[in-house]
């Protein structure tokens, strides 16, 4: 990105506020559809996208009773592969897709009961699930603790290296002539009910008839959004760890492990380059991004409970990010308020997974088409009570 | 320090190999005594000195039965205050000395039995020790866990901010005209039984009739040392954590806490600037300096067992260093091998504490005087079996 204050063109077809995976995916696809796009973000490395683990799993405990969200997730899973292939082609780099599947394991009998419920739910969505006893789990993953009670293999799950994916999106956007600006969108400028552009924190303006706000947990702070949407998206803090294998030690995992340890969820996601991501907390602490001793302890403790060899790995990085949460855990994507303003936020724990279908939906709206029907329950109008067609 | 390859004078009275607190303290005092000193170290920030916690406690479990080492430690404690005062004056900066004392606590009855033994040992050395029940411990430190079994207040213990202390030594050395060179001493050059100088890794030479090897765990790798000394000093890995208080949270500790938690030692050392150091592992892993998941977990677990509020602190840094250990846990300071060669290493867990008396001893040797008698049992000759007078 050019440094803050560098001159850029002050007119565009589309301005996108937010350079995480959602904003960048929209920018790339919109530019590929022929729009002249400016992507505005105050920094390159601060987004929730970079703290994520990159699991591409369509159903979790959080989705019980949320059938509409499950349908959207299933659409997102089906779309991810073709989108990633096109992205790798456009960016000329790999995104670290892995298809070994998820091995969900339960630490004790109570955890196993919870896992059985999750399995029934996933089967009801038509997903593969193979129940395994403790010994069969260790056949798949020999380093699992012998006292793991049992598990379920979700063979269809994928994962992606979120940092490679985000970097590929940036490269693809750049190749598609998206102009990136390191600044913050203070407000969307509106007159006569029509978007006119944005005002930037450094004082400059960009004129554009269409604006997408994709600023994650910060989206509500962008001026010009309808009042009812300003508090819909809240930060949900997540802390995670990046471990690495010592020199000469082969990978200790091949599958993503999703474990329930005495009622607490922990996941371990292996990368092709030897990294092992361990996550994640979910904390309601406002916009606090500090790494705390207690969270690191608990993640390590739970990871070591199911995979004792974790203790021998190198603790390479601890980090914290802020997921954009909403009252019903669903994203908020669609027209809102003045003509030309699209909100694309609230992806909570599924931002990576949903970025392709969100880009599809946003570009459909911006080019006068209808998004996939799975998006209908997730317009901003469910919070504003107005007509979702604009 | 000048960058590697920058020209420096090739003649000096004294070359010191190693720029940790031992080498730098010797350099400062030797320069103050009138010697022209060159201090050689490959880097500024890699030393065990920077990973230390800075406890200045004269006796620990490790010293049972080591009466000579205890006497040396007591000398070191008595000397530290006057040395630090002179250092602060010379460097024009504070070193973060704290005199609140150590509160040793025991987590369970078995730990308490170990603490009682330590207390008797410290009393036998003439040190103050006040036994406290669990309630009295919490009166001194209200955030201690209620299930701490009991404790002992060692009122005479001090601590120092090891990083401020190391920085002050560097400043004082610079003020005393010590010349610092970022390079590595490959070998001590000797002919006709007399030191002639050193050969550097970048290929240069420095001529000097006296050389001090103070290269910590690496000391045995410096060429020119007698063969019998090459394997005396080994690396003992220590991992520790630096925690910080979140904004607006007052300090959770005033005393250094030394805890025995189910047989494991952990210490928590508060700094005036809000830092809390938690340490330390002791691992025989050769020269491995990686931070491991298991060590971080265990340190956090033990710290949270005695001080639960630790979980709310920010995990600001994890680090690993290599202490210079010896077969009898004592330092190795004195003339060795060819005329003009002094070894000053093997300070193990007491490098910060012993740096003043080590500087005194080395400067005494270099200027033709006798070190304090407490040093007699700690010459290199106990390993080489030769006459300690040279």
């Amino acid at each position: 990105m050019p440094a803050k204050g560098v001159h850029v063109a002050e007119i565009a077809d589309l301005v996108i506020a937010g350079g995480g995976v959602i904003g960048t995916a929209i920018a790339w696809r919109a530019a590929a559809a022929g729009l002249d796009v400016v992507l505005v973000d105050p920094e390159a490395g601060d987004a929730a996208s970079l703290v994520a683990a990159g699991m591409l799993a369509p159903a979790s405990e959080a989705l019980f009773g949320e059938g509409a969200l499950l349908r959207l997730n299933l659409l997102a899973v089906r779309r991810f592969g073709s989108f990633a292939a096109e992205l790798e082609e456009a960016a000329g780099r790999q995104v670290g897709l892995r298809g070994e599947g998820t091995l969900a394991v339960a630490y004790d009998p109570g955890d196993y009961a919870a896992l059985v419920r999750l399995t029934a739910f996933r089967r009801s969505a038509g997903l593969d699930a193979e129940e395994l006893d403790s010994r069969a789990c260790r056949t798949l993953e020999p380093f699992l603790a012998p006292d793991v009670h049992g598990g379920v293999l979700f063979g269809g799950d994928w994962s992606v290296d979120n940092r490679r994916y985000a970097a590929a999106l940036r490269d693809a956007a750049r190749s598609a002539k998206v102009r990136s600006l390191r600044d913050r969108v203070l407000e969307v400028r509106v007159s006569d009910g029509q978007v006119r552009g944005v005002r930037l924190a450094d004082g400059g303006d960009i004129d554009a008839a269409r604006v997408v706000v994709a600023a994650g947990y910060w989206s509500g702070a962008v001026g010009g959004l309808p009042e009812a949407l300003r508090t819909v998206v809240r930060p949900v803090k997540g802390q995670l760890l990046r471990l690495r294998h010592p020199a000469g030690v082969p990978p200790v995992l091949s599958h993503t492990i999703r474990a329930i340890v005495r009622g607490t969820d922990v996941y371990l996601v292996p990368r092709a380059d030897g990294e092992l991501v361990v996550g994640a907390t979910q904390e309601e602490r406002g916009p606090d991004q500090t790494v705390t001793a207690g969270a690191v302890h608990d993640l390590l403790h739970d990871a070591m409970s199911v995979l004792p060899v974790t203790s021998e790995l190198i603790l390479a990085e601890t980090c914290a990010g802020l997921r954009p949460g909403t009252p019903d855990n669903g994203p908020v994507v669609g027209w809102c308020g003045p003509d030309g303003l699209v909100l694309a936020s609230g992806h909570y724990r599924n931002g990576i997974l949903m970025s392709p279908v969100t880009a599809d939906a946003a570009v459909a709206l911006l080019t006068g088409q209808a998004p996939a029907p799975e998006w209908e329950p997730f317009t901003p109008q469910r919070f504003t009570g107005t007509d979702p067609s604009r």
Side-chain angles (χ1 to χ4, degrees), chain A:
Chain A
M1 288 188 185
K4 186 169 169 172
V6 166
H7 178 78
V8 295
E10 291 157 347
I11 302 176
D13 294 331
L14 170 65
V15 174
I16 298 175
V21 291
I22 299 293
T24 310
I26 296 171
W28 170 43
R29 300 315 303 153
L35 299 182
D36 176 29
V37 182
V38 175
L39 180 63
V40 184
D41 197 286
E43 39 201 320
D46 195 33
S49 310
L50 299 183
V51 178
M55 285 187 297
L56 305 175
S60 73
E61 292 278 348
L63 295 173
F64 274 125
E66 296 169 347
L69 187 49
L70 176 61
R71 284 187 290 278
L72 181 59
N73 267 284
L74 290 171
L75 176 71
V77 167
R78 289 195 302 273
R79 173 64 167 122
F80 205 94
S82 62
F83 184 90
E86 199 176 347
L87 175 60
E88 289 185 340
E89 175 74 25
R93 58 193 291 170
Q94 305 293 302
V95 299
L97 264 183
R98 294 188 64 154
E100 285 86 349
T102 298
L103 177 59
V105 298
Y107 187 74
D108 68 23
D111 298 329
Y112 192 72
L115 180 56
V116 167
R117 289 195 299 275
L118 172 65
T119 304
F121 176 62
R122 291 188 53 143
R123 282 196 174 123
S124 74
L127 298 165
D128 284 343
E130 180 187 355
E131 279 164 51
L132 302 172
D133 64 16
S134 180
R135 184 180 301 266
C137 289
R138 291 203 307 284
T139 302
L140 283 182
E141 291 294 353
F143 287 107
L144 280 175
D147 43 354
V148 161
H149 192 82
V152 176
L153 179 64
F154 299 118
D157 282 0
W158 291 73
S159 69
V160 67
D161 184 328
N162 58 303
R163 293 183 178 183
R164 290 176 190 270
Y165 178 71
L169 283 173
R170 286 194 297 273
D171 287 354
R174 194 178 304 119
S175 296
K177 311 292 184 210
V178 170
R179 290 170 286 153
S180 285
L181 182 63
R182 190 171 298 183
D183 204 333
R184 186 181 290 281
V185 171
L186 276 189
E187 66 174 324
V188 182
R189 288 160 38 229
V190 177
S191 63
D192 301 329
Q194 165 65 48
V195 162
R196 306 294 175 178
V198 299
R199 172 141 306 158
L200 302 173
D202 81 350
D205 282 353
I206 306 174
D207 293 337
R210 283 164 285 188
V211 171
V212 174
V213 173
Y217 84 90
W218 184 258
S219 298
V222 175
L225 282 186
E227 194 59 32
L229 294 176
R230 297 186 70 91
T231 56
V232 160
V233 183
R234 73 182 192 283
V236 181
K237 181 177 176 179
Q239 301 189 51
L240 58 72
L241 315 175
R242 292 174 190 275
L243 309 181
R244 299 203 71 85
H245 292 68
V249 172
V252 298
L253 275 188
S254 56
H255 302 76
T256 290
I257 298 290
R258 181 200 151 103
I260 312 177
V261 182
R262 300 179 205 91
T264 302
D265 285 327
V266 65
Y267 51 76
L268 300 94
V269 185
R271 303 271 193 245
D273 65 1
E275 192 175 70
L276 185 68
V277 181
V278 177
T281 65
Q282 293 198 72
E283 305 166 68
E284 301 284 353
R285 292 192 181 226
D288 165 38
Q289 292 193 64
T290 59
V291 172
T292 58
V296 172
H297 170 270
D298 292 351
L299 289 169
L300 289 172
H301 183 264
D302 292 343
M304 288 163 58
S305 295
V306 293
L307 197 76
V309 71
T310 305
S311 68
E312 299 300 315
L313 301 185
I314 297 166
L315 179 59
E317 186 182 337
T318 59
C319 49
L322 297 169
R323 310 176 187 91
T326 63
D328 59 8
N329 295 332
V332 194
V333 175
W335 296 114
C336 65
D339 275 0
L341 179 59
V342 170
L343 179 62
S345 183
H347 294 79
Y348 192 34
R349 308 204 298 174
N350 292 308
I352 305 282
L353 170 62
M354 287 196 186
S355 52
V357 287
T358 302
D360 291 345
V363 172
L365 292 169
L366 294 165
T367 58
Q369 301 162 58
E374 286 85 350
W375 281 104
E376 280 168 20
F378 297 102
T379 63
Q381 286 69 30
R382 73 187 191 278
F383 298 114
T384 59
T386 55
D387 176 4
S389 65
R390 297 320 312 253

